[in-house]
Amino acid sequence: MNSSLDLGLIGNCQVGALIDSAAEIVWYCLPRFDGDPVFNSLLQEHETGSGKGYCSIELLEQIRTEQSYLSNTAVLVTRFTDTQGGVIEITDFVPRFRQHGRMFTPMMLVRQVRRLQGTPFIRICVRPTYDYGREACDITYGSHHIRYVSPDWVLRLTTDASITTILQELPFFLEDQVTLIFGMDETISEPISELARRFLVETIGYWHDWVHDLGIPFEWQDEVIRAAITLKLNAFDDTGAIVAAMTTSVPEAPDSGRNWDYRYCWLRDAYFVVNALNRLSATRTMERYLRYLVNVVAGSSGGRIQPVYGIDGQKYLEERKIETLAGYRGMGPVRVGNQAYEQIQHDVYGSVILAVTHVFFDQRLIRRGDAALFHRLEPLGETAIQVHDQPDAGLWELRGTKRIHTFSAVMCWAACDRLAKIAARLGLSEREAYWKAQAELIHAAVCARAWNDHKKAFTAAFEGDSLDASLLLMHDVGFLTADDFRFAATVAAIERELRHGDYIFRYVEEDDFGAPENAFIVCTYWYIHALVALGRNDEARQLFENLLSRHNRHGLFAEHLDVRTGEQWGNFVQTYSMVGLIHSAIRLSKRWDAAF
């Protein structure tokens, strides 16, 4: 197996799985996104017929592979052809549909293998592990099932294939079709193939209905729909949390040591996700996330919040290294947990209040914001006032240094600015005046201390001289108008110092791990947004089309891009990157009423 990020994501907002172009399940965590990866060959390479932590379906003498999603769904289809003209089709999905008045999202993964022509000779290998690949599971079995047992859970495979051929990994001729259903240790009473067929039909119907209700731009519709589905799959329905990515420890660059666990909810990332989905009229994900967020705020102490929490709201995400997995392409370490929960990142106050602002202004929402919720947000604003000019780790989560980051201060301004707007909406004139005054004070401080007259740009930190791509967002969050000369000048400075070919680096100075080697994908999208704001649409379109050409075969992005080879690096699928795609398409697309 040659690891790459040419992967497809399937899921149901309870569990998710990554499948490579050879139809191998390379990543699948149970019982939820941040759980034990029972299939983990993404971080543990193996030779054909050996290794552990994967599920593969192999066509012997295979010569051709095709793979794609069923249109407007999260159902992945892989087609293999062998040297004799035999063809099989593998359909992978995770059930999600409405049943008995509620959403049915079982901890289940379904694989259907169907003969299309010829006499295909296949082999099925199922090798789950537990405790991050430390041990192979104990196995028991019956006439139509195999139980893979760990100390903490049981994964049950129910199938109409020969149990012996799976247990012994024996090749066999596929006469018609076989079905594999991975799930909880529960008996399936109806015929396996019929259950899988019914679940597939219902799941396809769910996704078609969901996509049907999206408000999408005229151009790049397929790309936007795929990005929207992907963002949806990264939302954990049970609590409303949104993970930054499905994986841990895919390095940002080869042998960089920049290997982090992204299976948690960064409040900053989640704000960008719900904002993008809201722009597409997918409001339910936002409503669930806002419930999660309100609970996080309620559990905070003295108006202080962390940048990241567990998907269950857990505060403590102790970071540790896993020795049992070698890492992506052998590039360890593999980490579980994330030390960022201990960091001070002041931009988080703006991220929270920007997200919650929707509740006060969006008439589509069932539960609207009121004065009580506003007053619960005010302590966060007070904290933003206190910390806007204090050092922090910044949004890039520097581990060895602290500075007064300009972006953090801008987001503290955004917290106060939005509180003023909410107060005006609620008719609370005294609170509106208070928060407007606080926003003006922070705005003045940023303009006085972060503007570098020599560079003719806002810099990454107060009284600094280095640049940071996050400053491209100063217009997006409303801190600067598009016609403010300082915005255009800052964009020009970033072009000079952070642009490498058609891509923008987040920064170029050395950090705890040396100088960044790859471009952070979302930064190029931010640059595109800035170009559109400045009226440079032709340049923006060209950069956008180039970025689209760099996604994988399914239209999915990781976090980083090698500017020389175009290869993707970093955790996958990265929600930040998919958000950037959506926002860029919305900004650049022709209007529907002007498209014909």
Side-chain angles (χ1 to χ4, degrees), residues 135-206:
E135 299 287 347
C137 296
D138 293 332
I139 295 174
T140 65
Y141 59 91
S143 57
H144 294 292
H145 73 268
I146 304 172
R147 298 169 73 249
Y148 300 94
V149 182
S150 84
D152 299 319
W153 45 260
V154 175
L155 176 65
R156 186 185 186 105
L157 167 59
T158 305
T159 182
D160 51 12
S162 161
I163 297 298
T164 300
T165 60
I166 295 175
L167 289 174
Q168 298 185 24
E169 299 180 359
L170 301 174
F172 63 95
F173 284 107
L174 181 62
E175 297 178 0
D176 183 17
Q177 70 174 27
V178 295
T179 300
L180 310 176
I181 299 177
F182 294 95
M184 300 292 288
D185 192 20
E186 299 172 344
T187 300
I188 294 177
S189 56
E190 64 183 287
I192 296 165
S193 61
E194 173 57 27
L195 177 77
R197 185 204 63 79
R198 180 168 61 85
F199 279 12
L200 177 61
V201 169
E202 295 281 4
T203 298
I204 291 172
Y206 165 80

Side-chain angles (χ1 to χ4, degrees), residues 517-574:
E517 299 176 48
N518 290 334
F520 200 89
I521 291 172
V522 77
C523 294
T524 304
Y525 281 123
W526 292 345
Y527 177 52
I528 290 169
H529 303 167
L531 292 181
V532 173
L534 294 171
R536 296 162 60 181
N537 285 42
D538 290 343
E539 295 173 67
R541 287 180 72 95
Q542 182 178 355
L543 291 172
F544 182 54
E545 293 284 4
N546 175 68
L547 264 185
L548 292 182
S549 73
R550 297 301 190 182
H551 58 46
N552 74 10
R553 74 175 73 196
H554 304 300
L556 307 183
F557 273 122
E559 184 180 44
H560 289 260
L561 201 69
D562 186 318
V563 299
R564 297 155 299 180
T565 67
E567 184 175 12
Q568 296 193 44
W569 290 87
N571 282 309
F572 188 87
V573 178
Q574 177 69 14

